[in-house]
Amino acid sequence: MRKQSKGGGFVLASWLMVAMAGGSLMQVAPAAYAAAEAKAPVGKGALEGFANGAQLRLRWELVRTVFTPELPGGGTQARFVLSNLGQQPLPAQGWSLYFNVMDGVSTGPLEGKLVLEQVAGNLFRIRPAPGFAGVPAGQTLNIAYNHPDLVIKLAKAPAGPYLVYDDAPDVGQAIADYQLLPVTRPEQLDKGGSGAKPVVTVQDIYRRNANADWLPAAALPPVFPTPQHLEAGGGKLKLAALPNISAPAVLKTEAAFARSLLAASLPASSAGTGDTGSAGAAALRLSVGTVPGSTSPEAYTLTIKAGSGIDIVGNSAAGVAYGLQSLRDLLPLPGAAAGGIELPELAITDAPRFEYRGFQLDVGRNFHTKQTVFKLLDLMARYKLNKFHFHLTEDEGWRLEIAGLPELTSIGAVRGHSAVPGVRLQPAYGSGPNPADASGTGYYTRAEYIEILRYAAARHIEVIPEIEMPGHARAAVKAMEARYHRLKAAGKGDAAKYLLNDFADKSVYKSPQLYNDHVINPGLESSFTFIDHVIAQVAAMHKEAGAPLHTIHVGGDELPSGAWEQSPASRAVMQKKKLESTAELWDYFYDRVDAILRKHGLYASGWEEMAARATKVHGEHKLIPNPRFTQRGFSAYVWNNTEGAEDFAYRLANAGYDIVLAPVTKMYMDMAYNANPEEPGVNWGDYVELDTVYDFIPLDYLKNANPPLVGKDALTDYGKRRIRGLEATLFTETVRTPERMDYLVMPRLLAVAERAWAPDPAWATETDAAKATALHRAAWSGFVNTLSQRVLPRLDLERTGVDYRIAPPGLVVDGGKVLVNHVLPGIAMRYTSDGSEPNTTSKPVSGPILDKGQIKVAAFGRNGRPGVVSRIDNP
């Protein structure tokens, strides 16, 4: 997670003594309890009867937010409610309750004779202290504790709780009956003097949605993303049968795609099974040629004429593939073509604005399968995105098989509880105690990775693997440490060959993810041996797949302050190389990494910190472009446009670095859409609605900053040439399922695709504010109507399995009527007034709602899938 460290540490906060019955017992009635996922028997001893018979129910409640002079940004009082629904008491001693918390909690003694401890990173536990009374059968324990920051999003609540008994320290029993209680009370939602609204209301949504107008289908651009030039004709090309498809051998893949595309839209009896269509059928001609006026290899022309058929010419096979995607947009929606297809005559000449149009998927924090990756690659190809940034390694998981280093996956790809160090990684992000958990544990075999590479290459998508270093590397560090101990015990002389950490290192640091043992040490020659081996193996897989590898993303972000400072190995290198600071040691590290990449014919890519130098101006911290690497061809991915660094991407580009723009406040798909506690996602950077992404102006994003920014650097003409493109980013702290991924990524990815492919819209360059506002409304209306009437219905009707977010409708009461609108104009909406949830048989919204009572409204996709429900009272 790219985030700013809050610092501080986790000590008991005296400012937050909870004014409730902390540690008190309450009588509760027994209830059914779902069995824990880990049912391994505990050891013999006093706890055996309890462990075999007790049933536990756990609830978490945000009690209130608190603002004090010590914590002006706010803290949070919270509690666990632990109910013993079994027949035996939870004993006074001999157990621990483990859980993950993303941003940490205040540790130390708790009321009721309990202790809250940090195990490592974001894994914490509560255990009884001397004097704890236990929890009798049928009773409930309140465990009050504190968060040293605001827990606005439920994503920051504890996750993955499990119980471990001292008699069986290697067995974790997941607490399956665990729920987060709703956050609705004023004291839970208080945001102090920040001026921020407690929640986004349905009235707020209505006002935001009112910035767009409904447009008829005939007024919408027929191709998405918006092409450079489209000239409409007057006639129609009618297809009653599969066209005769002609293409050279180099376009074999594109011809097969064209065949499947058109066959799916034609009646089954006329589509046929042949390769060339039927006699007398219209022709579809695919060719590689020259696109007038464009040197982009991805440029294409698409021409449809009633008399001669369809011609797609690309500057390369990629251009032809994009022309076919545009042809897909012109086909009728599935089910709409009863007796054939009518295509409008037109001529499109098109090319992308940016050569880099990317999407980054993190599979380190939570693993996602090959099939999920395939689905993402299909989405990328459909919307003309061409770079898949594959974030394969993290503190919490190494997800790629590397020949010769089996521990990277046997240990570094497995998460679960263990009392013995070096067996597996600890639970993280709610993955729980079971090492079989599908999101905590998993990796791609060598064969699977090659299959992914080939799948991407067939869709003209370049895979850019990321191997995180020197920070965010705990999985690798722990795996290579385990390898060392295994080989050392076996008497092997090369046990330290790939070791990444200095055992004598006494450095004190803490990463934003709360780790203090996750950094690759540049003082060890074995670190560079490891890096060289991994890069060689990755390059070999790309070569076998026939998928060219030009660069490897080598991380570079969030090295914690204090790392390496007390490492004898690092200090020895600094002395030998006459390095004055760890900042110079950083340069030494990336000098070595760059040399390794160059040896393999690759250039270096990394997060912005790889191109930055931390310094001070008048005692204040400031990032400046690192002059050491400006001529190395480094490609810097810039995420940080937070306060104080809004122009940093532009300053790096002006200094000579190649830049991929991935700003957290605009392009991070793991950010929640809004501040409502139940809305999925995180919020450390910002809230990112669909229009937030759409309104991004890549080469002048300071223009529409609110409030306006002064004293910031704009892009120079030279700097503009260094902007390679854009990247949407999904880190997966909160993403454990494909459905959650779809919800966070779509439809926001469509706005990314529009910004990356299409030229700047007129509103982005208009200097007159009133004209810019009018132009923006017209363009935004076109965009959201295209999504609601064409793009998203096609996903539904083609049964792609993409569960995109269907936003809650906006509601407002006006004169006794409920007015309804949606961010996607024209989408089907239904409502109830009897207390039930809307479904596909509920009354349709066809205008103002006159019913009284609580009105519940939801929008529905073309496949009947409901979206988020909005509620309002109409008295």
Side-chain angles (χ1 to χ4, degrees), residues 598-669:
R598 288 174 180 271
K599 182 180 75 172
H600 293 282
L602 309 173
Y603 69 87
S605 294
W607 296 108
E608 69 196 43
E609 291 95 327
M610 197 176 76
R613 171 59 66 88
T615 185
K616 290 186 178 181
V617 177
H618 304 304
E620 297 293 327
H621 290 281
K622 185 177 179 66
L623 289 175
I624 64 171
N626 189 337
R628 180 151 183 167
F629 300 127
T630 54
Q631 303 305 312
R632 297 286 189 88
F634 282 14
S635 187
Y637 292 56
V638 185
W639 64 268
N640 188 5
N641 69 328
T642 59
E643 185 176 358
E646 297 92 343
D647 62 343
F648 191 52
Y650 292 172
R651 289 193 282 121
L652 286 173
N654 293 342
Y657 284 102
D658 289 338
I659 299 301
V660 174
L661 297 173
V664 60
T665 69
K666 302 291 184 181
M667 295 282 167
Y668 266 41
M669 305 287 102

Side-chain angles (χ1 to χ4, degrees), residues 97-287:
L97 173 66
Y98 287 77
F99 53 91
N100 295 120
V101 180
M102 196 179 302
D103 285 345
V105 296
S106 299
T107 58
L110 303 178
E111 291 187 20
K113 304 295 184 180
L114 295 166
V115 176
L116 177 51
E117 301 170 332
Q118 183 181 15
V119 179
N122 63 19
L123 182 64
F124 294 81
R125 69 181 180 188
I126 293 171
R127 61 176 179 81
F132 178 68
V135 185
Q139 294 199 10
T140 291
L141 174 69
N142 283 327
I143 306 173
Y145 73 96
N146 305 316
H147 291 253
D149 57 0
L150 284 184
V151 181
I152 296 172
K153 305 297 295 182
L154 288 177
K156 292 186 176 183
Y162 63 95
L163 207 64
V164 175
Y165 304 105
D166 292 0
D167 277 8
D170 212 38
V171 178
Q173 299 191 27
I175 299 179
D177 190 357
Y178 175 55
Q179 294 179 13
L180 308 180
L181 298 180
V183 176
T184 57
R185 304 190 305 268
E187 69 272 19
Q188 297 174 307
L189 297 167
D190 181 21
K191 296 180 181 178
S194 66
K197 294 189 63 173
V199 294
V200 175
T201 66
V202 292
Q203 294 90 342
D204 295 330
I205 296 171
Y206 185 91
R207 287 187 287 270
R208 192 163 192 155
N209 291 347
N211 291 321
D213 303 303
W214 178 83
L215 299 176
L220 302 178
V223 170
F224 179 86
T226 305
Q228 280 189 351
H229 180 76
L230 186 153
E231 182 179 345
K236 299 281 187 180
L237 171 65
K238 296 183 179 180
L239 298 178
L242 187 70
N244 292 308
I245 299 173
S246 62
V250 71
L251 297 178
K252 179 180 179 181
T253 299
E254 287 67 38
F257 174 55
R259 195 170 301 113
S260 64
L261 194 66
L262 291 166
S265 296
L266 288 164
S269 60
S270 59
T273 59
D275 287 346
T276 58
S278 58
L284 169 59
R285 294 169 289 272
L286 308 179
S287 62

